[in-house]
Each structure stands twice: as structure tokens, then as C-alpha cells.
Amino acid sequence: MSNRSRPPPAWATSEILASRRSEPDKVRSAAALIDTFALMYPQLQDVDFRRDVPRLDVPVYIVEGAHEAPGRSVLAVDWFERLSAPSKQLVTFESSGHTPHLHEPGRFASY
């Protein structure tokens, strides 16, 4: 299956189809998301932060939703555990999936 023909993930679909959006906005958002996946995913397939970014010289915050797709969460935690940084914090948002900044904006802003 080509990247262009893959459907967007469920979290993206729910945000795009939110009732507060106008129909033309929903169509534009869906098209932009599909284009983003088609252009970015092929470029990102060979990127592995666990291998490519073992150290950062700045404080690091990794933000994840408790309801994130398991494959993504495992990779983020694995990288976090290996990462060398002056300080680092893994922050889990219990009521969120892939987009904690949208699902828990008040708590997200506090960081």
C-alpha cells in the first residue's frame, strides 16, 4: 500500500471531524494530513532517536499520552531511558492519547 493511500490514524480523524469545524475546513485538514503523511513518513522511516540521538546538551521533556499507540510509547520510553541529558523528565498525561496539548491543554501549558 502506498503512503498516499494509507488512512490517517484514528486520533487524527477524530480531531479533523470535530463538530466545531466547518465542512470545508474538515476537507482541507484531511487533505493536509494525508499530504503530510505521504511526504514525511518516507523521510522518517530510517530515523531512530535511540541510535541517532544518544545525547542532548539541553534539558529534555518527553510528553506522552497514557492512551498513545503502544508501539510509539515503547520507543519513546526506550529512548528516554538511554538518553544522556543534563536533566530529563517523562511526563504522562493520563487523559490523553497522541495529542496531550489538545486533550489536556491546561496541564500541558503548565510545563
Side-chain angles (χ1 to χ4, degrees), residues 2-84:
S2 75
N3 287 328
R4 188 169 281 282
S5 63
R6 286 186 188 155
W11 61 263
T13 304
S14 65
E15 183 59 30
I16 288 169
L17 299 177
S19 60
R20 67 182 177 279
R21 292 176 171 245
S22 69
E23 292 304 316
D25 187 41
K26 292 176 186 178
V27 170
R28 284 190 297 271
S29 295
L33 185 64
I34 290 168
D35 285 346
T36 298
F37 286 130
L39 294 171
M40 287 184 62
Y41 274 11
Q43 297 174 42
L44 295 175
Q45 286 180 339
D46 293 328
V47 174
D48 184 342
F49 275 31
R50 297 168 304 167
R51 176 193 68 220
D52 301 335
V53 187
R55 177 180 174 79
L56 291 171
D57 295 325
V58 296
V60 174
Y61 291 86
I62 296 182
V63 177
E64 70 169 358
H67 305 285
E68 175 63 271
R72 290 185 189 137
S73 181
V74 168
L75 294 173
V77 171
D78 189 27
W79 178 57
F80 176 81
E81 290 171 352
R82 297 176 188 209
L83 179 66
S84 173

